[in-house]
Every structure is written in structure tokens, then in C-alpha cells.
DNA sequence: CCCGAGCCTGACAACGTTGTCCAGGCTCTA
DNA sequence: TAGAGCCTGGACAACGTTGTCAGGCTCGGG
């Protein structure tokens, strides 16, 4: 900028004015400055600008895994909102590791992002207290924050799972299996709770062998599914606690002789093209992301003050696999 | 930092030393400083640090659409490499709009990212010349840069498509359709070239009605597919130019009475579970991302100087849909 | 002709950090 | 005991920008 000023034969501040489109510059002077800018290939250094102004016009997004198809659309909709507010998006994956989450979040705070959208991996977020006090807007997504009072946007995991399981019960099933992630993960716990509630509503006692928790890698999901299909009290339907589980269960069911019903939590691509189509409890990732991001920017506006918990509804999409009667 | 120094009763520079783990501080002093830091909830302001040091420890990634399943793994692997080098990832979607691409890239440059990974939307990148001269490391991915000399990492689109079409020909097909994106997009053009080459290799003249270019939205892909299936010279096989086309073509073929063979470019999830399984020419998005990011950091090391074009091989995965004989 | 208002313009400080350099106190050795 | 050398700690400038403020110029009216 100094160089531009020198070349144009004007003061520093005048260049600054031109760069920022501020008023109070003669067209003639502006032309000279613009010329110098072009000649030197000058571009404003936003780091210095940030340092001076205090706002970075960027927000951080910490999620579990960018490669997961659930987070792609979510990330995209957050970006879209950020863009509408002239902000850039910095994101990182925690890989479901609380320590890595904290490391990422603090790195983002050191960059002085204006706000944070966090899909929590850990369950204690007190480390964020100083940041919140310092005015970093924060919205948690998909799972609530631990031990701090903050905005959170999530799906109705409990209601969705309960509805999905009730759907199976309505089609005559009583022996229904549940395969889900570790209950220390909030979504997994809520979905399990929904499963239990639906079973209880129908007066069906749940056998321990019907539930498989903390199972996530394909090999173990496969074993879990096979076990509950061939065990002493074999299930006639399975409720899959997330999209990765659903995919593996589909593979297992395809190999079975008898027809086993399936409802999965989270939609999966091409679910309608499979034989049978896969019935799912779908959450709208894009909507979740948009809602969270909009709330974030309202915090930044100062429009918002009190942390709130926003639960978005899920939608049962019937495609065939959840509508088989039990085949005992 | 000033406050911390005051509270600990030491000089500014001493606090800086503690924060950065530099040597030359008594354990006792260090303890006092650390205490003050904790008490005040101090966190270093990276903007100021960047301003001083010149390096931001962050890289920018500009892609087409984060929600596209091809870019999730790519983005993730770039992030992984960045993380290994202690850098954060800032990313944005161009939505295939050259103007938006440029806007994003320049915004990232203004942030003084150390490097850029760009999946180009436009075909003229001369606007990047001043940045390159200023030392911003840059790697293009998936498509080459326009009018500038820069590193590029991409799949062997030509060879992959040629191989895929040859596979269909080997199974007896002669009337093979091609549905792809606008040829102004490099990948689309290359794949079309591969299709033509394979047909020519086999001495098969291509009818104009077998090719549909610049078609991307599902409704038009559907019409294009139906047209070439029912036209005067109906095809017995279709080569789909990208994953979105493939998905729509699968839907159309599912409705057909006769069996039509299909090979798609890009793998799609659950392709093996469909009936029939979908034969594809797969590219390894994660590998592409990793290769590009590693090259970027080698540019930053100074290890690398001459721009290079790196072409990664594709892999034909046979699952059934590409192995039908022609059904005339 | 003088004065005040209004418009451009530029000098300067400040944002928070780090590199450079120097001072003061200590230890060790001859 | 004196001198050399090391270790710790601090003062200061600089990074590139923007907010503040004041100076100089022009123009119109009295």
C-alpha cells in the first residue's frame, strides 16, 4: 500500500479510501491510485485489516468427517449462509475425537473467527467459556454442548426413531432389532431411547440380544446383524441407527433367505433404486446447517441473546423395506 | 498479551517466549506467566502473528460443490495433509461459476493463505498471475488451469472413458450412447474424446443422435437417455459421463423392458447393491486430493519448482451393468 | 476584500505480535 | 579477584491497515 501511495504520489490514507470505496476522493486522484494499484498488482492484506478492525468475516465449522455424505450438504448450506453475509468458511474434521475437536476449535478462535458452528465430538465444552465471554458466537449442531449454555440445532432423534420403530410395529413386527453407535454420542442415545419408547408403547419387552450398541465398523455391524437374525429369539425387523449401519445391514439382508424388514435413520443416496427401496427416517442436513448458520449470524447482529435448543422434525420416507410383514 | 505481562510482572517479549515455547525463560518465570495466561483466559491473536510472520498456516480450497459426493473425500484428504503440516483449511464452493471462483480465490489471497488448491470453474486464470508471482503456492485439481503455467493433478479422463467404452465394445456393443456435460468443461471434453477414440479404434462410426452433450439436470438427462433408446438407430449401451448422469440413467434403464448395458464415469455409493450392479470407471478422489495437497506443501518447502501435470489412473470396476450383451 | 463553510487530503497513532538488540546479573576460570 | 562469557529479560521497531484529526484549498456570501 505504501508502494501504491508512493507511485500515485498520494498519502497512505487516500489509497485506503480508494481501496475501500470510501467517499471524499476526487475522480482524478482515484484514477491515479487505481492505476498504481493495477500496475503493482496490489491486493489489500486482510490480516492487517482484521487486526485493525477486530472482525475477520470468517466463521469456523468443526464437524466429524467431511467425507460423510451427511455433512456435505450441511457444510454447503452453512457456507451458503456465510457467503450471503460476506464471510468465508474455515472447516475442520474432528474425526469424532474430543481432543482434536478442542484443538481445532481453539485454533479457530486464535484466528479470531467471528463465529463457530460445532458438531461436538466431546461432551465437555467448558474450555469454550473464555471464548464465549470474549464474544465468539457459537452454535452447536446435531448434538448439544456439554456443561455450557449455548445454542443448539438438532434433529428430533428421539421422535424420529420412535416413529420409525412404531412404523415397523404397525406392520406387525414385535421382535425388532436395534443397531446403533455408542450411547455416549447424544444422537445414538436419543435414537435408542426412541426405540425403547416405541417398544414400550406397544407393550413389547425388549430382549437384550436385540440391541447392539457402540457398533460402527462394517465388520462388527455385519456380525451384530447376523447374530440377531440367527439367535435364539430371531428378529423379523431391524432399525438401523445411522446411515453407515443401514448400508451394512442392507448388504446382510440381501444375503438372507427370508425377508427381514428394515428402517434406517438418515437417508441414503439411491435408496429408492434398491430392491426393495429402503424406508428411512430422514433428516434434512441442509436445513439443519442453514438454521444453525442463520442463528449464528443473528447472534453476531446482536439480535439474539438467549441460548435456545431448536429441534427440527424428521420425515419418514416409506419405500418398501419397512413395510414387509414379519416372516417367522 | 500486554495484560498478561503486567499481571505476571514481566516484559511483553517474555510472555511471547512462553506462549511460543521459546527457550531462555526460567521455570519460575514461566510458571508465573502461565498462571496469568490461565487467569485471564488469554489466547494469542493469530491475525497479528500472521501480520508479523507473513505465513498464515492456512490453505484455501476452492471446489465446485461441497455437497457433491465426489468432493467430500477429496476435501477431507486435503484437510488431512494440511493438518499434518499444521495448517487449517478454508474452503468455498464456486458452483461452477467462473466469476464466483475468481471472487473466492482473490478473497483467499487477500487472507494471505499460504497456498491454494483450486478445482477450476473458469478457463482463464491469468488473474492469478500477480498472486503466483507473490509466492502463493497453487495446485489445480481435476481440470487444468487456463492460460497460466501451474501444477495440475487430475484423473486420466481420456484413458478411463476410452477403456470403459472399449469394455462395452468387447461385450459386443456397437451402438453405444454417450451422455456428458458441456465440452467446455475439461473433464467432459476428455471423456468425450475417450469415447470417440474407443469407437474409432473399433471402426464404429458414431451417429450424432448417440451423443448428448452439455446435459446435466436430471430432467434433460432423462430425455436424452430416452431419445437415444427409442430413436431411429437405438443404442444398446450407454456410457454416462459423470456420477449425476449415471444416477439418472440408472433410473431410466430400470423402467425399460429390454436390458441396456451401462458404464458410468465416477463410482457411486451402493453401486454394488443395485440390481444389476453398476459397472463404473472409478477415480480415487481421496488420492487426488492427497496428491495435490502434498504437492502444494512441497511447493511451499521450496522442494518443487517446475509446474507439472500429474495424471492418476482410473480403475474399471465391473459389477454387472456393463457386461450385458446387446439386446437388439 | 474578508470570512466561514465545506471538501480533499495526509500525518499519525494504534491494532497485537515477534525479531533484534542490548543490559544486567550470574558463573566460571585463570 | 578480575575478566570473559552465558543466561535471562526487556525496550523498541516493524508488519499493513484504518480511525482520528487537523490543515489547506476553493467557493460563495457579506
Amino acid at each position: 500500500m505504501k508502494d501504491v501511495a508512493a507511485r500515485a504520489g498520494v498519502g497512505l490514507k487516500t489509497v485506503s479510501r480508494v481501496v475501500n470505496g470510501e467517499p471524499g476522493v476526487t475522480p482524478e486522484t482515484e484514477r491515479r491510485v487505481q492505476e498504481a494499484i493495477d500496475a503493482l498488482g496490489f491486493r489489500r492484506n486482510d490480516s492487517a485489516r482484521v487486526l485493525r478492525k477486530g472482525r475477520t468475516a470468517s466463521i469456523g465449522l468443526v464437524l466429524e468427517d467431511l467425507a460423510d455424505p451427511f455433512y456435505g450438504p450441511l457444510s454447503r448450506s452453512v457456507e451458503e449462509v456465510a457467503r450471503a453475509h460476506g464471510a468465508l468458511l474455515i472447516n475442520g474434521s474432528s474425526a469424532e475425537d474430543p481432543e482434536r475437536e478442542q484443538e481445532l476449535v481453539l485454533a479457530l478462535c486464535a484466528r479470531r473467527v467471528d463465529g463457530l458452528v460445532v458438531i461436538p465430538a466431546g461432551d465437555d465444552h467448558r474450555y469454550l467459556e473464555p471464548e464465549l465471554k470474549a464474544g465468539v458466537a457459537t452454535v452447536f449442531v446435531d448434538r448439544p454442548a456439554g456443561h455450557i449454555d449455548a445454542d443448539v440445532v438438532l434433529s428430533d432423534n428421539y421422535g424420529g426413531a420412535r416413529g420409525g420403530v412404531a412404523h415397523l410395529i404397525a406392520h406387525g413386527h414385535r421382535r425388532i432389532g436395534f443397531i446403533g453407535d455408542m450411547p455416549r454420542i447424544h444422537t445414538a442415545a436419543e435414537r435408542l431411547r426412541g426405540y425403547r419408547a416405541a417398544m414400550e408403547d406397544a407393550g413389547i419387552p425388549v430382549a437384550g440380544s436385540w440391541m447392539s450398541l457402540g457398533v460402527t465398523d462394517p465388520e462388527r455391524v455385519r456380525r451384530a446383524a447376523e447374530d440377531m437374525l440367527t439367535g435364539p429369539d430371531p428378529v423379523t425387523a431391524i432399525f438401523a441407527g445411522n446411515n453407515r449401519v443401514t448400508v451394512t445391514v442392507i448388504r446382510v439382508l440381501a444375503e438372507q433367505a427370508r425377508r427381514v424388514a428394515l428402517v434406517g435413520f438418515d437417508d441414503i443416496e439411491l435408496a429408492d433404486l434398491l430392491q426393495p427401496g429402503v424406508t428411512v427416517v430422514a433428516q434434512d442436513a441442509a436445513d439443519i446447517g442453514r438454521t444453525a448458520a442463520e442463528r449464528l449470524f443473528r447472534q453476531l447482529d446482536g439480535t439474539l441473546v438467549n441460548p435456545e435448543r431448536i429441534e427440527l422434525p424428521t420425515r419418514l420416507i416409506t419405500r418398501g423395506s419397512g413395510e414387509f410383514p414379519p416372516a417367522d
Side-chain angles (χ1 to χ4, degrees), chain A:
Chain A
M1 199 168 211
K2 220 171 25 188
D3 302 339
V4 175
R7 186 182 177 114
V10 302
L12 260 179
K13 181 64 203 186
T14 302
V15 178
S16 172
R17 273 192 266 263
V18 171
V19 169
N20 294 296
E22 286 172 28
V25 180
T26 324
E28 160 59 14
T29 310
E30 177 168 353
R31 196 192 49 72
R32 279 217 321 282
V33 172
Q34 199 50 254
E35 217 170 81
I37 288 178
D38 294 342
L40 296 172
F42 166 79
R43 198 144 293 141
R44 182 177 60 200
N45 182 331
D46 270 354
S47 301
R49 175 169 228 254
V50 160
L51 179 58
R52 192 68 232 273
K53 310 205 83 160
R55 281 260 168 130
T56 55
S58 55
I59 68 176
L61 171 61
V62 177
L63 35 70
E64 190 222 316
D65 181 2
L66 253 180
D68 183 316
F70 177 70
Y71 294 114
L74 193 153
S75 180
R76 176 66 194 275
S77 62
V78 170
E79 188 208 331
E80 216 57 58
V81 176
R83 183 177 136 83
H85 286 81
L88 284 179
L89 185 64
I90 308 184
N91 54 23
S93 305
S94 68
E96 204 70 86
D97 172 354
E99 210 167 308
R100 197 160 150 187
E101 172 207 306
Q102 178 169 350
E103 186 190 307
L104 259 170
V105 167
L106 294 184
L108 290 168
C109 288
R111 296 285 156 113
R112 293 294 187 270
V113 292
D114 297 336
L116 279 172
V117 175
V118 180
I119 290 153
D123 46 13
D124 187 351
H125 297 90
R126 275 174 295 188
Y127 69 85
L128 259 174
E129 262 167 5
E131 316 299 337
L132 292 180
K133 251 183 228 138
V136 179
T138 308
V139 177
F140 286 80
V141 168
D142 201 38
R143 314 165 193 173
H147 301 105
I148 62 169
D149 197 25
D151 267 332
V152 52
V153 175
L154 31 62
S155 283
D156 179 11
N157 291 289
Y158 167 74
R162 185 172 174 174
V165 175
H167 181 74
L168 288 169
I169 294 173
H171 282 81
H173 295 273
R174 296 185 58 81
R175 301 201 304 276
I176 302 172
F178 177 94
I179 305 181
D181 216 324
M182 295 167 288
R184 76 163 181 80
I185 298 180
H186 176 262
T187 50
E190 284 291 291
R191 293 170 196 176
L192 175 60
R193 200 162 68 81
Y195 163 78
R196 286 202 143 110
M199 295 298 267
E200 194 175 325
D201 289 347
I204 307 171
V206 175
S209 64
W210 296 350
M211 288 183 300
S212 173
L213 311 178
V215 172
T216 94
D217 69 294
E219 208 32 63
R220 291 187 54 204
V221 170
R222 164 173 288 276
R223 249 203 323 277
E226 282 167 353
D227 285 355
M228 56 181 70
L229 286 170
T230 56
D233 210 7
V235 300
T236 63
I238 293 181
F239 186 83
N242 66 47
N243 51 3
R244 278 159 304 176
V245 171
T246 305
V247 169
T248 305
V249 171
I250 291 170
R251 287 182 207 280
V252 174
L253 295 191
E255 299 159 6
Q256 299 292 312
R258 76 190 156 105
R259 285 199 138 182
V260 176
L262 167 69
V263 173
F265 206 109
D266 283 347
D267 202 1
I268 52 181
E269 228 195 341
L270 302 188
D272 58 323
L273 280 183
L274 295 174
Q275 285 301 336
V278 183
T279 294
V280 296
V281 177
Q283 25 182 358
D284 187 339
D287 193 31
I288 294 177
R290 194 179 323 113
T291 307
E294 272 164 5
R295 233 186 131 70
L296 189 76
F297 282 101
R298 282 208 283 145
Q299 278 185 32
L300 288 172
D301 286 354
T303 325
L304 235 55
V305 262
N306 293 327
E308 226 175 294
R309 177 198 180 94
I310 299 180
E311 231 168 64
L312 298 176
T314 57
R315 199 159 54 93
L316 182 75
I317 305 179
T318 58
R319 296 199 181 105
S321 76
E323 291 78 50
F324 295 144
D328 302 85

Coordinates of all heavy atoms in Angstrom, one line a residue, chain A residues 1 13 16 20 45 49 52, chain D residues 15-21:
Chain A
M1 N 0.8 -1.2 0.0 CA 0.0 0.0 0.0 C 0.9 1.2 0.0 O 0.6 2.2 -0.7 CB -0.9 0.0 1.3 CG -2.1 0.9 1.2 SD -3.2 0.6 2.5 CE -4.7 0.9 1.9
K13 N -3.5 7.1 3.4 CA -4.9 7.1 3.7 C -5.8 7.2 2.5 O -6.8 6.6 2.4 CB -5.2 8.2 4.7 CG -6.7 8.3 5.1 CD -7.1 7.1 5.9 CE -8.5 6.8 5.8 NZ -9.0 5.7 6.7
S16 N -6.1 3.9 0.9 CA -7.0 3.1 1.8 C -8.4 3.5 1.4 O -9.3 2.6 1.2 CB -6.8 3.4 3.2 OG -7.8 2.8 4.0
N20 N -11.2 1.0 -0.3 CA -12.5 0.7 0.4 C -13.7 1.4 -0.2 O -14.8 1.3 0.4 CB -12.3 1.0 1.9 CG -11.3 0.0 2.5 OD1 -11.5 -1.2 2.6 ND2 -10.2 0.6 2.9
N45 N -4.1 -6.5 2.3 CA -3.7 -7.6 3.3 C -4.8 -7.7 4.3 O -4.8 -6.8 5.2 CB -2.4 -7.3 3.9 CG -2.0 -8.4 4.8 OD1 -2.8 -9.1 5.4 ND2 -0.7 -8.7 4.9
R49 N -5.9 -5.8 8.2 CA -7.3 -5.2 8.3 C -8.0 -5.8 9.5 O -8.6 -5.1 10.3 CB -8.1 -5.6 7.0 CG -9.5 -5.1 7.0 CD -10.0 -5.3 5.6 NE -10.7 -4.1 5.2 CZ -12.1 -4.0 5.2 NH1 -12.8 -5.0 5.5 NH2 -12.7 -2.9 4.9
R52 N -6.8 -4.6 12.7 CA -7.2 -3.2 13.0 C -8.7 -3.2 13.4 O -9.1 -2.5 14.3 CB -7.0 -2.3 11.7 CG -7.2 -0.9 12.0 CD -6.0 -0.3 12.9 NE -6.6 0.4 14.0 CZ -6.9 1.7 14.0 NH1 -6.6 2.4 12.9 NH2 -7.4 2.3 15.0
Chain D
dC15 P 8.0 -2.7 7.9 OP1 8.9 -2.8 6.7 OP2 7.3 -1.4 8.2 O5' 6.9 -3.8 7.9 C5' 7.2 -5.2 8.0 C4' 6.0 -6.0 8.3 O4' 5.7 -5.8 9.7 C3' 4.7 -5.4 7.6 O3' 4.5 -6.1 6.4 C2' 3.6 -5.6 8.6 C1' 4.3 -5.9 9.9 N1 4.0 -5.0 11.0 C2 3.6 -5.5 12.3 O2 3.4 -6.7 12.4 N3 3.3 -4.6 13.3 C4 3.5 -3.3 13.1 N4 3.2 -2.5 14.1 C5 3.9 -2.8 11.9 C6 4.2 -3.6 10.9
dG16 P 4.3 -5.2 5.0 OP1 4.5 -6.2 3.9 OP2 5.2 -4.0 5.1 O5' 2.8 -4.8 5.1 C5' 1.8 -5.8 5.1 C4' 0.5 -5.1 5.4 O4' 0.5 -4.6 6.8 C3' 0.1 -3.9 4.5 O3' -1.2 -4.1 4.1 C2' 0.3 -2.7 5.4 C1' -0.1 -3.3 6.8 N9 0.5 -2.6 7.9 C8 1.8 -2.0 7.9 N7 2.0 -1.4 9.1 C5 0.9 -1.7 9.9 C6 0.6 -1.4 11.2 O6 1.3 -0.8 12.0 N1 -0.6 -1.9 11.6 C2 -1.5 -2.6 10.8 N2 -2.6 -3.0 11.3 N3 -1.2 -2.9 9.5 C4 0.0 -2.4 9.1
dT17 P -2.0 -3.2 3.1 OP1 -2.6 -4.0 2.1 OP2 -1.0 -2.1 2.7 O5' -3.0 -2.5 4.0 C5' -4.1 -3.3 4.5 C4' -4.7 -2.7 5.8 O4' -3.6 -2.3 6.7 C3' -5.5 -1.5 5.7 O3' -6.9 -1.9 5.6 C2' -5.3 -0.7 7.0 C1' -4.1 -1.4 7.6 N1 -3.0 -0.5 8.0 C2 -3.0 0.0 9.3 O2 -3.9 -0.2 10.1 N3 -2.0 0.8 9.6 C4 -0.9 1.1 8.8 O4 0.0 1.9 9.2 C5 -1.0 0.6 7.5 C7 0.1 0.8 6.5 C6 -2.0 -0.2 7.2
dT18 P -8.0 -0.8 5.2 OP1 -9.2 -1.6 4.9 OP2 -7.4 0.2 4.3 O5' -8.2 -0.1 6.6 C5' -8.9 -0.8 7.7 C4' -9.0 0.2 8.9 O4' -7.7 0.7 9.2 C3' -9.9 1.4 8.6 O3' -10.6 1.6 9.8 C2' -8.8 2.5 8.4 C1' -7.7 2.1 9.3 N1 -6.4 2.6 9.0 C2 -5.6 3.1 10.0 O2 -6.0 3.2 11.2 N3 -4.4 3.6 9.6 C4 -3.8 3.5 8.4 O4 -2.7 4.0 8.2 C5 -4.7 3.0 7.3 C7 -4.2 2.9 6.0 C6 -5.9 2.5 7.7
dG19 P -11.9 2.5 9.7 OP1 -13.1 1.5 10.0 OP2 -11.9 3.3 8.5 O5' -11.8 3.4 10.9 C5' -11.6 2.9 12.3 C4' -11.2 4.0 13.2 O4' -9.8 4.4 12.9 C3' -12.0 5.3 13.1 O3' -12.2 5.8 14.4 C2' -11.2 6.3 12.3 C1' -9.8 5.8 12.6 N9 -8.8 6.0 11.5 C8 -9.0 5.6 10.2 N7 -8.0 5.8 9.4 C5 -7.1 6.4 10.2 C6 -5.7 6.9 10.0 O6 -5.1 6.9 8.9 N1 -5.1 7.4 11.1 C2 -5.7 7.4 12.3 N2 -5.0 8.0 13.3 N3 -6.9 7.0 12.6 C4 -7.6 6.5 11.5
dT20 P -13.0 7.1 14.6 OP1 -13.8 6.9 15.9 OP2 -13.8 7.5 13.4 O5' -11.9 8.2 14.9 C5' -10.8 7.9 15.7 C4' -9.9 9.1 15.8 O4' -8.9 9.2 14.7 C3' -10.6 10.5 15.8 O3' -10.1 11.3 16.8 C2' -10.3 11.0 14.4 C1' -8.9 10.4 14.1 N1 -8.6 10.2 12.7 C2 -7.3 10.6 12.3 O2 -6.5 11.1 13.0 N3 -7.1 10.4 10.9 C4 -8.0 9.8 10.0 O4 -7.6 9.6 8.9 C5 -9.2 9.4 10.5 C7 -10.2 8.8 9.7 C6 -9.5 9.6 11.9
dC21 P -10.8 12.7 17.2 OP1 -10.7 12.7 18.7 OP2 -12.1 12.7 16.5 O5' -9.8 13.7 16.6 C5' -8.4 13.5 16.7 C4' -7.7 14.4 15.7 O4' -7.7 13.8 14.4 C3' -8.4 15.8 15.5 O3' -7.4 16.8 15.7 C2' -8.9 15.7 14.1 C1' -7.9 14.8 13.4 N1 -8.4 14.2 12.2 C2 -7.5 14.0 11.1 O2 -6.3 14.4 11.2 N3 -8.0 13.5 9.9 C4 -9.2 13.1 9.8 N4 -9.6 12.5 8.7 C5 -10.2 13.2 10.9 C6 -9.7 13.8 12.1

